[in-house]
Amino acid sequence: MTTNTLVNAETPRMNFAKTAPKVFRALIGFDAAAREGLDPTLVELVQIRASLLNNCAYCLHMHTNDARKAGETEDRLHMVAVWREARHFFTEREQAALALTEAVTLISDGGVPDAVYAEAAAHFDEEELAKVLALIFTINTWNRVALSTGKVAGTDER
């Protein structure tokens, strides 16, 4: 496992929103369209799992706080990292979304297995599944923005 080491871990490398405002606004629009109509708790679970896998402290901090605001429990937040061993904390629908999140986030490890996709398709209608996929795409993009520009955990300026 690699770690992210910044020269000065308290100073971001770049303010992406100010430097590339059109790109930033496009990402915000993509993110908003992806989450539209999805359960806010499910949205946060997906974003937390991807952020854990990508080692993105900035996004993990933001989305665990957002999950709490959406009514998520501390027990479930603590179990997201080990959800396969703590399945009883999550619904089958949430488990399917978490498995899909892992497969898409770690796509270079062998793609998205048919069984993972089929399980997700069994729990989400086609439009919902497309939105869950888009949500996974957006959080992976946000993780890459935060990590490459040196976003500092705990400095969410929304």
Side-chain angles (χ1 to χ4, degrees), residues 14-71:
M14 171 195 298
N15 183 327
F16 189 76
K18 287 185 180 176
T19 306
K22 286 176 79 175
V23 175
F24 188 77
R25 284 191 304 272
L27 283 173
I28 289 173
F30 184 30
D31 186 271
R35 64 179 59 223
E36 188 177 300
L38 293 177
D39 173 34
T41 301
L42 179 76
V43 168
E44 297 306 333
L45 291 175
V46 165
Q47 293 179 125
I48 290 166
R49 186 63 188 135
S51 297
L52 284 163
L53 293 169
N54 287 321
N55 297 310
C56 185
Y58 178 84
C59 293
L60 182 60
H61 183 267
M62 178 190 305
H63 293 297
T64 53
N65 283 335
D66 288 351
R68 285 181 190 96
K69 290 174 189 170

Side-chain angles (χ1 to χ4, degrees), residues 131-153:
K131 287 184 176 188
V132 170
L133 282 167
L135 179 67
I136 297 166
F137 304 157
T138 61
I139 188 57
N140 276 279
T141 300
W142 287 123
N143 289 163
R144 281 148 180 79
V145 168
L147 289 166
S148 61
T149 63
K151 297 289 282 184
V152 178

Side-chain angles (χ1 to χ4, degrees), residues 80-97:
V80 174
V82 293
W83 70 270
R84 290 179 191 281
E85 290 77 30
R87 289 179 184 269
H88 61 285
F89 282 90
F90 304 98
T91 67
E92 289 183 6
R93 182 175 165 97
E94 290 167 340
Q95 291 174 45

Side-chain angles (χ1 to χ4, degrees), residues 96-117:
L98 291 168
L100 187 61
T101 300
E102 290 178 358
V104 173
T105 300
L106 304 173
I107 202 158
S108 65
D109 289 350
V112 177
D114 289 341
V116 170
Y117 187 88

Side-chain angles (χ1 to χ4, degrees), residues 45 48 64 67-68 72-81:
L45 291 175
I48 290 166
T64 53
R68 285 181 190 96
E72 192 53 82
T73 67
E74 290 299 317
D75 279 347
R76 283 175 32 108
L77 289 176
H78 293 299
M79 294 297 120
V80 174

